[in-house]
Amino acid sequence: MYGMVSGMSADTLIIEQVNKIFQAPTGNVMALKGIDLRVRKGEFITLIGPSGCGKSTLLKIVAGLDTSYEGNVLLNDKPVSGPSIEKGFIFQEPRLFPWLTVEKNIAGNLSLKQAAVRKKVDEFIELVRLQGFEKAYPRELSGGMAQRVAIARALLRNPDVLLLDEPFGALDAFTRSHMQEVLLDIWQNNRTTMLFVTHDLDEAVFLGERVVIMNPRPGHIRSILPIDLPFPRKRTGSSFQELRTKVLREFEKVEEPEFDTGAGI
Amino acid sequence: MKSEIAARKAAGQDWLRAVPGPLHAWLVPIAIVALWQIAGGLGWISATLLPTPLTIAKQFVSLGLSGELWEHFQISILRALSGFVLGGLTGLALGLSTGLGKMAERTLDPSLQMLRTVPLLSLIPLFILWFGIGEFSKILMISLGAFFPMYVNTFLGIRSVDVKLYDVSRIFQYSKLQLVIRLIIPAALPNILLGIRLSLGVSWLVLVVAEMMGTSAGIGYMIQDARAYSQTDIVFVGIIIFAIVGKLSDSVVRLLESKLLRWRETYKG
């Protein structure tokens, strides 16, 4: 749980020398160059960088949604060849099926008529604190509630790793910090391995056990900083602020840091 | 001053308030029918060109009581429905296959789009030459009319499925069948229902044309026959039947829409 203590558990996710080239009419663009990252089981990693640094692209590669790249991505020692339930994915927008109620969205292609599924769906509805909204349609939910449904839907499949692509980027500040706490709660209960992409410095430091800092042109990992603070963290604490400054300084070493909403999808 | 205006306004609306709300839409038609009856009764309009509403109503009742109307009606409904079901189902099936499969789209869709541009009614002489003026020819024409709205809208519905939701179904490893049943069809349903509505409308239209081109039964025949004998009141009875059934079938699909598309969030005016 704290920082760089390794060897306790095997690496769940291994990313080795991943390069990604986008082919454009104006010439090829190197989106990712020499990405190396090993994520331990149950670890919470945040990935931060300015827009265009390839963090979303990297997440899509890990998810198996993008399969044209060089290098190796291994999940539990098996190469990733396509999307699957082992790699849960939370998009920036909730992406719920509008014609299904909350409970049916969470169940997805599983049948609520099966007692085991029913029980699990109810458990996860409770976990994301949505009791009373089981029969609501997505249009009746607020942005934060809808994103909680998406999180429940992904966690129900018991993924080996949960990939989150700026999941709280579209939420207002209050809802966002609440959602961060909800997510930490879930993580501490379930110990799901998390790979969380963000462009929000506070969010990266608040959530991550390690913060991976990426830079653009071409997208590469600049540094990986352990955040040795116990949970729950206090944003106003002096050690939090120190670490936040440390991360910020990493960016200041580069010319013209552009913080911006990410490229999204 | 202010209250005076309000009072006058209230007085102006008073007569409207005396009428129950659901009847508001009927005020104008009732007024027109009343005027029509008065004008006809006073002999201002020729009874052969425009019989009074009362004459039409009497004719309606007598045709209904003699069983003649019911006979024609049954035949017409049977033709329209079988044509609609045949054409609609074919349109749905082909729309699904071209919508889902690239191969079907490339091979089938261009020909269908080409056929679609041919005005249906110009094919009538050909249909008569090939299939005569029997039931088969009529039902085939109706189904051809019903086919295209269903086909085009089903295809459109499938192709407007959100690719973002498709990504979700890939991550959750939906099988091909689950993908179709749980994502594509529900997402395409608004368009499919629109296709059904348009198809029903066209079926009804082609039915009238088919029944007028030569037959010995059906509401269209009844109209054509009455015209030949200048029985204008019977022509009106036929038109009214067409209007009522057309409206009813549309309402059924609308009801279906409001049930099946409850989840939709749209501008409701």
Side-chain angles (χ1 to χ4, degrees):
Chain A
M1 184 163 167
Y2 300 111
M4 303 291 275
V5 188
S6 58
M8 308 244 311
S9 52
D11 293 328
T12 292
L13 177 68
I14 299 169
I15 303 170
E16 270 176 350
Q17 283 303 308
V18 165
N19 298 325
K20 163 84 190 175
I21 293 162
F22 278 120
Q23 269 143 14
T26 47
N28 294 347
V29 180
M30 191 140 203
L32 291 173
K33 186 165 184 260
I35 303 288
D36 275 311
L37 184 64
R38 301 174 84 90
V39 183
R40 291 191 310 277
K41 192 168 163 40
E43 196 176 11
F44 202 135
I45 298 277
T46 50
L47 252 162
I48 186 168
S51 49
C53 72
K55 54 196 193 300
S56 288
T57 307
L58 179 60
L59 212 59
K60 285 236 161 63
I61 289 173
V62 175
L65 287 169
D66 185 342
T67 48
S68 61
Y69 61 90
E70 294 165 13
N72 296 313
V73 178
L74 303 171
L75 183 67
N76 292 329
D77 301 321
K78 281 185 294 260
V80 167
S81 59
S84 72
I85 46 174
E86 286 90 54
K87 307 174 287 282
F89 203 105
I90 306 291
F91 298 92
Q92 185 164 5
E93 56 308 340
R95 300 200 183 184
L96 303 179
F97 290 19
W99 52 86
L100 296 180
T101 56
V102 165
E103 55 182 18
K104 285 184 178 158
N105 257 296
I106 295 174
N109 55 349
L110 310 170
S111 170
L112 275 172
K113 287 188 190 108
Q114 288 174 27
V117 175
R118 176 80 256 178
K119 191 164 161 277
K120 260 185 118 180
V121 167
D122 287 339
E123 259 174 52
F124 279 96
I125 284 177
E126 205 181 318
L127 185 73
V128 295
R129 302 183 219 152
L130 278 170
Q131 301 103 306
F133 289 94
E134 291 88 344
K135 307 267 189 258
Y137 284 98
R139 67 179 156 90
E140 299 166 287
L141 305 177
S142 69
M145 287 160 81
Q147 199 57 290
R148 262 144 54 198
V149 177
I151 291 172
R153 177 172 68 175
L155 289 174
L156 182 85
R157 271 82 183 166
N158 196 21
D160 294 326
V161 59
L162 189 59
L163 309 164
L164 304 103
D165 190 7
E166 303 186 23
F168 310 143
L171 305 177
D172 64 84
F174 294 106
T175 315
R176 190 184 311 154
S177 73
H178 169 69
M179 290 297 291
Q180 289 163 0
E181 276 154 29
V182 171
L183 187 68
L184 278 180
D185 249 19
I186 291 170
W187 174 63
Q188 282 169 328
N189 284 325
N190 282 32
R191 286 286 149 193
T192 309
T193 311
M194 303 271 189
L195 192 55
F196 188 110
V197 162
T198 179
H199 59 265
D200 180 329
L201 207 61
D202 281 318
E203 189 167 66
V205 178
F206 185 74
L207 294 175
E209 291 180 288
R210 286 191 288 158
V211 176
V212 177
I213 298 164
M214 288 183 71
N215 275 138
R217 285 182 288 269
H220 63 281
I221 293 176
R222 179 178 183 90
S223 52
I224 300 177
L225 283 179
I227 306 293
D228 274 326
L229 291 175
F231 292 95
R233 291 168 177 170
K234 290 252 178 303
R235 276 171 236 266
T236 45
S238 58
S239 38
F240 185 93
Q241 289 303 326
E242 258 168 51
L243 280 162
R244 186 186 180 283
T245 315
K246 209 168 149 192
V247 175
L248 189 59
R249 214 168 280 144
E250 284 297 316
F251 285 109
E252 279 168 355
K253 289 176 192 163
V254 206
E255 307 145 52
E256 47 163 358
E258 309 162 39
F259 279 96
D260 203 336
T261 39
I265 309 307
Chain B
M1 187 70 186
K2 223 176 191 179
S3 65
E4 205 175 293
I5 295 172
R8 208 180 299 160
K9 226 175 165 185
Q13 283 177 348
D14 249 352
W15 64 271
L16 198 61
R17 245 180 250 157
V19 183
L23 291 182
H24 285 177
W26 290 96
L27 289 175
V28 173
I30 286 171
I32 291 175
V33 169
L35 267 176
W36 175 4
Q37 177 64 42
I38 291 166
L42 293 174
W44 295 350
I45 316 170
S46 144
T48 23
L49 290 184
L50 193 63
T52 61
L54 252 148
T55 324
I56 296 170
K58 271 186 208 150
Q59 186 60 261
F60 205 119
V61 172
S62 78
L63 280 175
L65 288 177
S66 74
E68 200 181 329
L69 194 61
W70 179 240
E71 237 168 75
H72 289 310
F73 181 70
Q74 263 179 317
I75 289 244
S76 289
I77 285 284
L78 193 67
R79 280 179 189 142
L81 274 187
S82 29
F84 164 73
V85 169
L86 191 67
L89 282 184
T90 319
L92 183 70
L94 287 186
L96 280 174
S97 50
T98 52
L100 293 173
K102 269 265 168 276
M103 271 302 274
E105 187 197 355
R106 263 185 239 142
T107 52
L108 211 55
D109 189 59
S111 316
L112 288 173
Q113 294 298 344
M114 203 166 66
L115 276 179
R116 195 169 68 90
T117 58
V118 178
L120 179 66
L121 301 184
S122 71
L123 296 178
I124 291 180
L126 211 55
F127 269 66
I128 295 178
L129 272 175
W130 288 347
F131 310 112
I133 53 166
E135 290 305 307
F136 181 67
S137 166
K138 287 186 180 47
I139 290 174
L140 208 61
M141 256 177 61
I142 295 168
S143 55
L144 191 65
F147 170 81
F148 284 109
M150 199 63 205
Y151 171 77
V152 171
N153 281 291
T154 304
F155 179 80
L156 191 73
I158 291 174
R159 288 306 164 92
S160 50
V161 173
D162 193 346
V163 75
K164 292 179 170 179
L165 294 183
Y166 173 64
D167 275 348
V168 171
S169 76
R170 282 172 73 203
I171 288 165
F172 292 143
Q173 292 181 299
Y174 278 39
S175 66
K176 265 266 179 255
L177 186 69
Q178 284 172 336
L179 179 71
V180 173
I181 291 176
R182 291 175 186 258
L183 173 64
I184 293 178
I185 294 198
L189 203 58
N191 283 93
I192 293 177
L193 285 171
L194 177 67
I196 290 179
R197 244 169 92 186
L198 295 175
S199 274
L200 268 176
V202 176
S203 304
W204 213 226
L205 179 84
V206 181
L207 170 79
V208 181
V209 176
E211 285 189 339
M212 284 182 168
M213 81 191 185
T215 175
S216 56
I219 299 287
Y221 162 76
M222 188 183 86
I223 292 179
Q224 193 71 348
D225 193 48
R227 185 199 57 83
Y229 295 101
S230 293
Q231 292 168 306
T232 321
D233 47 351
I234 298 185
V235 173
F236 268 99
V237 171
I239 293 172
I240 290 168
I241 296 270
F242 276 132
I244 292 173
V245 177
K247 178 72 192 153
L248 274 182
S249 60
D250 200 60
S251 304
V252 168
V253 184
R254 272 171 186 258
L255 193 75
L256 213 62
E257 262 180 14
S258 66
K259 282 239 182 270
L260 292 173
L261 306 181
R262 232 176 338 170
W263 51 270
R264 268 213 300 190
E265 186 176 33
T266 49
Y267 177 65
K268 292 190 179 69

